[in-house]
Amino acid sequence: MANTQTATNRPVMATAYPIILAVSLSHFVNDVLQSMLTAIYPILKTDFALDYWQIGMLTLVFQCTASLLQPVVGIYTDRHPAPMSLPIGMASSFIGVLVLAFASSFAMLLIGASLIGVGSSIFHPEASRVARMASGGKFGAAQSIFQVGGNAGQAAGPLLAAFIVVPFGRPSVAWFCVLAALGMAVLYRVGLWYREYARTKGQSQADRTLPLPRNRIIVALVVLAFLTFSKNAYMASISSYYTFYLIENFGVSTQTSQVMLFLFLGAVAAGTLLGGPIGDRFGTTAVIWFSVLGALPFTLALPHVGLVGSGILTVIIGFIMASSFPAIVVTAQELLPGRVGMVAGIFFGLAFGMGGIAAAGLGLAADSYGIRAVYGACAWLPALGILTILLPRRREFAR
């Protein structure tokens, strides 16, 4: 699928790398804060005597809060730009982290998780829009740089938890509010650039003409939704339960399990960074084919290997699967021109929501059948990648 200037219908401008890097840095901060929740699951399980279904509920509340609000934010800001919503979203995450640090009950944990979810729901659609505004036509590369900040934040969260929260206790989570304050400052400056861009370029320039017949677009969007589900349901099985899997099956310490999770999430960051530029060069459909279906042999092997093999396979799986998401977002933005915020809200929200629903369901399954059975079943999820055959081809976008 080609990425063309007609997809945005804006005048050609130089790529504003400082702005893209700023939203990527803010994405890093945002996702460090939200990853604190999953990274301290073993601590919360011990402190509050939680069952696996309660762990799943925490993930569900966080991710569904984000997923339900993100499309609303995106649709609204497509018509009414809200540059200063970016630091406001980070402020919500700031408060949520404080609540997690000092919560005295499971109900308070749910409130903290929901506040972080609200912050993410405000941040992602608008920050993704800013990345596309600043791309200068390099849409895949801009999305990759933006998204890799989030992946790096998700990877750093477990590592920071292992070496800060585990030794110093759950109240030390509050120290990460310093990062939130930094993020608010950076996003305030980004908001000023965004406001000036909206004033000088004008939202009225966006052409909302559909590039394909409506039914063709609906089929393509449904396929992209299923691919997002397969990717994020599997990723949820790793991000929420991989530490428990390692502890239960191999007897490793909590710190070791979190370092192993860091390796997986680091591979996710690397895959995300490369996925966008490769999509710009070879087409987004090729990247999606490789990313979703290509992980299948490795996911099928994962439940049957030892500790070292698990580490190696999860790194490979994370790298391959992560490369698809920039391509999925750019593809959807091309299918629905002039609706950048709505697309970002739906697909980032879909990613959160699918992950949350999967985490809750997997938690119940783990309580009933065990962690190993869960990974055996999830191993088949990448097989849904065969649906990529239904996506539009490059020539269908020719005008």
Side-chain angles (χ1 to χ4, degrees):
M1 182 174 299
N3 296 321
T4 63
Q5 182 62 29
T6 58
T8 59
N9 296 287
R10 292 194 184 279
V12 176
M13 58 175 284
T15 304
Y17 284 109
I19 297 300
I20 297 173
L21 292 173
V23 293
S24 182
L25 173 62
S26 302
H27 203 180
F28 170 83
V29 173
N30 181 83
D31 283 31
V32 164
L33 299 182
Q34 69 182 35
S35 71
M36 279 293 106
L37 178 62
T38 54
I40 64 173
Y41 277 169
I43 296 172
L44 297 180
K45 191 174 190 299
T46 300
D47 288 354
F48 293 90
L50 302 180
D51 294 323
Y52 281 128
W53 75 265
Q54 290 174 300
I55 296 292
M57 280 301 298
L58 282 171
T59 305
L60 178 65
V61 166
F62 159 63
Q63 294 186 334
C64 284
T65 302
S67 67
L68 292 175
L69 290 178
Q70 282 197 47
V72 175
V73 173
I75 291 169
Y76 177 82
T77 54
D78 278 337
R79 299 291 188 179
H80 309 282
M84 291 305 154
S85 66
L86 288 166
I88 292 172
M90 188 66 70
S92 178
S93 297
F94 179 105
I95 298 170
V97 168
L98 281 179
V99 172
L100 284 181
F102 300 110
S104 58
S105 67
F106 180 64
M108 289 297 294
L109 292 178
L110 292 175
I111 292 172
S114 66
L115 285 169
I116 295 174
V118 168
S120 291
S121 73
I122 296 172
F123 171 80
H124 284 104
E126 285 297 82
S128 181
R129 184 199 310 279
V130 169
R132 190 170 178 89
M133 286 176 175
S135 70
K138 299 176 181 177
F139 307 125
Q143 280 298 317
S144 281
I145 294 171
F146 165 63
Q147 290 179 25
V148 80
N151 293 138
Q154 292 171 12
L159 198 63
L160 293 171
F163 294 102
I164 296 178
V165 181
V166 171
F168 296 101
R170 183 166 53 89
S172 63
V173 171
W175 298 352
F176 294 93
C177 288
V178 175
L179 280 179
L182 171 65
M184 291 168 65
V186 171
L187 288 174
Y188 176 77
R189 299 295 300 175
V190 170
L192 295 178
W193 180 90
Y194 174 7
R195 185 166 61 190
E196 180 64 15
Y197 182 98
R199 185 185 68 82
T200 57
K201 304 298 181 183
Q203 294 296 309
S204 61
Q205 295 182 37
D207 182 359
R208 300 167 71 89
T209 303
L210 298 179
L212 296 171
R214 184 177 298 273
N215 288 343
R216 188 78 175 95
I217 289 175
I218 291 173
V219 170
L221 292 174
V222 170
V223 168
L224 292 174
F226 271 105
L227 296 177
T228 301
F229 164 75
S230 68
K231 180 182 99 68
N232 286 282
Y234 189 86
M235 300 289 254
S237 76
I238 300 291
S239 61
S240 293
Y241 300 107
Y242 186 47
T243 53
F244 299 116
Y245 173 78
L246 294 172
I247 292 169
E248 180 178 313
N249 283 276
F250 305 113
V252 302
S253 67
T254 298
Q255 282 189 326
T256 299
S257 70
Q258 289 172 330
V259 170
M260 295 280 282
L261 180 59
F262 166 76
L263 293 176
F264 165 75
L265 295 173
V268 169
T272 301
L273 184 60
L274 293 177
I278 292 173
D280 285 340
R281 176 65 179 85
F282 297 104
T284 53
T285 304
V287 174
I288 294 171
W289 266 117
F290 168 73
S291 176
V292 185
L293 196 59
L296 183 61
F298 305 104
T299 60
L300 290 174
L302 179 61
H304 308 290
V305 298
L307 178 62
V308 174
S310 295
I312 293 172
L313 287 179
T314 52
V315 166
I316 295 172
I317 291 167
F319 181 86
I320 293 176
M321 294 189 77
S323 62
S324 67
F325 198 55
I328 287 173
V329 172
V330 170
T331 300
Q333 288 173 342
E334 291 181 353
L335 289 167
L336 295 172
R339 302 166 180 86
V340 173
M342 181 183 74
V343 168
I346 289 173
F347 279 89
F348 279 103
L350 188 65
F352 283 125
M354 291 299 185
I357 293 169
L362 293 173
L364 292 172
D367 283 332
S368 299
Y369 304 106
I371 291 289
R372 286 185 62 87
V374 165
Y375 280 105
C378 288
W380 291 96
L381 284 170
L384 288 174
I386 195 67
L387 293 174
T388 304
I389 198 171
L390 299 176
L391 290 178
R393 297 296 179 264
R394 183 187 302 265
R395 63 180 177 272
E396 295 184 57
F397 280 76
R399 293 183 182 269

